[in-house]
Amino acid sequence: MSVGAHQAVMLEQAVAGLNVGAGGTYVDCTFGRGGHSRRVLELLGRGGRLIALDRDPDAIKAGAAISDTRFTLLYGRFGGLHALLARAGVGKADGILLDLGVSSPQLDDAARGFSFRFDAPLDMRMDTSRGMTAAQWLSTADESEIREVIKNHGEERFAKQIAAAIVAARSRGDLGGTRQLAALVAHAVPAREPRQDPATRTFQALRIHLNQELEELSLVLPQCVDLLNPGGRLVVISFHSLEDRIVKRFMRDAAAGARLPERLPVRSRELPQPLMRLIGKARRPDANEIARNPRSRSATLRVAERK
Ligand SMILES: C[S@@+](CC[C@H](N)C(=O)[O-])C[C@H]1O[C@@H](n2cnc3c(N)ncnc32)[C@H](O)[C@@H]1O
C-alpha cells in the first residue's frame, strides 16, 4: 500500500451496520481517507446525503478529490457534532459512523510524530493547526501528571519508572524525538511483552491524552442519540479497550432505559423508555482481514439502533 493510503477497517460490516437507505442522511465522523464514506456514497441514491468530518487538515485536503453533490466534508472535531451539523443545515441523520483512532497516513507520515518507526519531532496532534505537541506537553507537565497519563491511557504497569526517566532526560535537555523517547521508555521498562514494542503503550497514552480522544468519544455518543431518527443506526469501530469500554457501556445503558428500585408505585409504561436497541454482539475482523491489514487486528465493531 502506498504512503497516504488507508485500508478501511471492517468496511463491509460497518457499512452493513449503517443499513444505508437510498434517500437517507448519513454522517461519517471520521473521514480519514474516505474508505467508509466512498462505500456509503455507492449505496446512496440521488436523494441521499453524506456529511463527513475530520479534525485533520490533511484528511480534509484528501477529501477534496470527491466531487459529488450528495457529499459534504467538514473540518472539525466530532465532540462538537451537533453544532457542526447545524451549520451544514443538518438536524437529523439516519446513520452515524465513528471509526476511531488514527489513520494509516497519520501513522505513516514520519513528520506527524505518531510512530517510533521513524525519527521525528514529538508532535502527535491529529489537528496540526492547533493544540499542544507531545514535545511541548512533555517539556512542561509535572512528573505526576505524566505518570497518570501513561498509567491510565496506556494501561502501563511501569508508568512510574517511565515518567521518572522522561523527567530526568528533560532536565538534562535530552528528550529528543520519537526514537529517543522510544529508547528511553525501553530502557525504563524492566519486562517485555510478546510481539509488542515496550514504547507502544506510552505512545498510545500520549496520543490519547493530547488529542483528548476519550473525552471526544464521551461527548459525541449522546449527541448521536439526539441526532438519529428512529431506526437510525450508530456504528462504532474502536481500537483499544479504553475506547471500547466507553462505547459498550454507553450502548448498554441506552438500551436498558431507566432502572428504578423494584416495587416503586410507577407503571412501567410511565418510565423513561430505552433510547436504543443493540444490534447483534460486538464483532471482530476475521482472520483474512487481519492477514491483509494487520492494523485491523485490535478493532471491535458495535452497532445500536435509535428507537
Ligand atoms: C481510523 S481513521 C478513519 C479512516 C476512515 N474510516 C477511512 O476509511 O479512511 C480516523 C480518522 O478520524 C479522525 N479523528 C479522530 N478523532 C477525531 C475527532 N475527535 N474529530 C474529528 N476527527 C477525528 C482522525 O484524524 C482520522 O483521520
Side-chain angles (χ1 to χ4, degrees):
M1 201 171 54
S2 64
V3 173
H6 177 90
Q7 246 177 292
V9 169
M10 302 190 77
L11 176 62
E12 295 309 327
Q13 298 97 313
V15 176
L18 283 174
N19 198 19
V20 176
T25 296
Y26 296 86
V27 181
D28 177 356
C29 291
T30 48
F31 177 77
R33 289 300 176 273
H36 292 94
S37 277
R38 285 187 175 81
R39 188 83 187 95
V40 171
L41 284 170
E42 281 167 14
L43 298 171
L44 274 183
R46 282 170 50 185
R49 191 161 180 207
L50 173 65
I51 295 92
L53 52 134
D54 207 293
R55 74 197 298 191
D56 182 345
D58 285 351
I60 301 299
K61 271 186 226 140
I66 301 183
S67 157
D68 187 320
T69 51
R70 302 167 304 167
F71 178 67
T72 308
L73 182 58
L74 305 171
Y75 160 66
R77 296 177 304 104
F78 57 62
L81 185 62
H82 238 298
L84 278 171
L85 292 182
R87 259 181 265 143
V90 176
K92 287 283 175 191
D94 299 297
I96 302 179
L97 171 70
L98 291 149
D99 175 20
L100 299 169
V102 275
S103 66
S104 297
Q106 288 169 331
L107 285 169
D108 295 342
D109 179 348
R112 304 294 299 263
F114 283 110
S115 172
F116 45 80
R117 286 180 293 134
F118 319 102
D119 197 19
L122 289 162
D123 188 323
M124 298 196 196
R125 289 169 303 165
M126 288 182 186
D127 183 346
T128 44
S129 71
R130 65 193 72 208
M132 236 191 212
T133 66
Q136 286 166 338
W137 186 71
L138 287 172
S139 68
T140 51
D142 290 341
E143 182 173 334
S144 59
E145 211 184 333
I146 298 174
R147 184 182 65 229
E148 287 307 296
V149 164
I150 296 175
K151 182 169 152 226
N152 296 332
H153 291 351
E155 299 183 290
E156 170 62 69
R157 282 187 291 158
F158 303 108
K160 187 166 183 276
Q161 291 87 328
I162 296 168
I166 288 173
V167 170
R170 171 171 96 184
S171 59
R172 294 192 304 270
D174 203 17
L175 204 49
T178 47
R179 280 265 167 85
Q180 211 164 327
L181 177 62
L184 179 153
V185 173
H187 199 253
V189 169
R192 294 284 177 271
E193 285 176 56
R195 293 182 298 281
Q196 194 182 65
D197 189 285
T200 303
R201 290 175 178 279
T202 297
F203 273 63
Q204 172 190 297
L206 294 175
R207 195 200 89 200
I208 292 175
H209 174 68
L210 287 163
N211 294 292
Q212 300 186 308
E213 291 178 41
L214 303 181
E215 292 84 350
E216 281 286 300
L217 180 58
S218 299
L219 281 172
V220 75
L221 292 172
Q223 295 181 61
C224 293
V225 175
D226 284 348
L227 287 161
L228 282 170
N229 283 320
R233 296 280 184 86
L234 171 62
V235 176
V236 188
I237 307 172
S238 60
F239 287 87
H240 51 77
S241 55
L242 298 170
E243 279 172 353
D244 186 51
R245 204 172 303 151
I246 293 173
V247 177
K248 181 178 170 180
R249 285 191 183 152
F250 180 83
M251 288 186 174
R252 187 197 58 199
D253 291 350
R259 266 175 293 185
L260 294 180
E262 279 177 32
R263 281 199 259 266
L264 274 192
V266 184
R267 288 190 194 88
S268 58
R269 68 184 146 78
E270 289 165 355
L271 290 173
Q273 296 303 303
L275 296 169
M276 303 203 91
R277 152 175 108 83
L278 302 180
I279 304 292
K281 293 207 163 115
R283 297 184 63 182
R284 309 287 323 279
D286 62 24
N288 285 338
E289 175 164 8
I290 296 173
R292 219 176 40 244
N293 180 13
R295 278 181 190 160
S296 69
R297 69 184 175 278
S298 43
T300 302
L301 178 139
R302 294 183 188 271
V303 183
E305 185 178 277
R306 183 74 166 95
K307 286 203 157 212

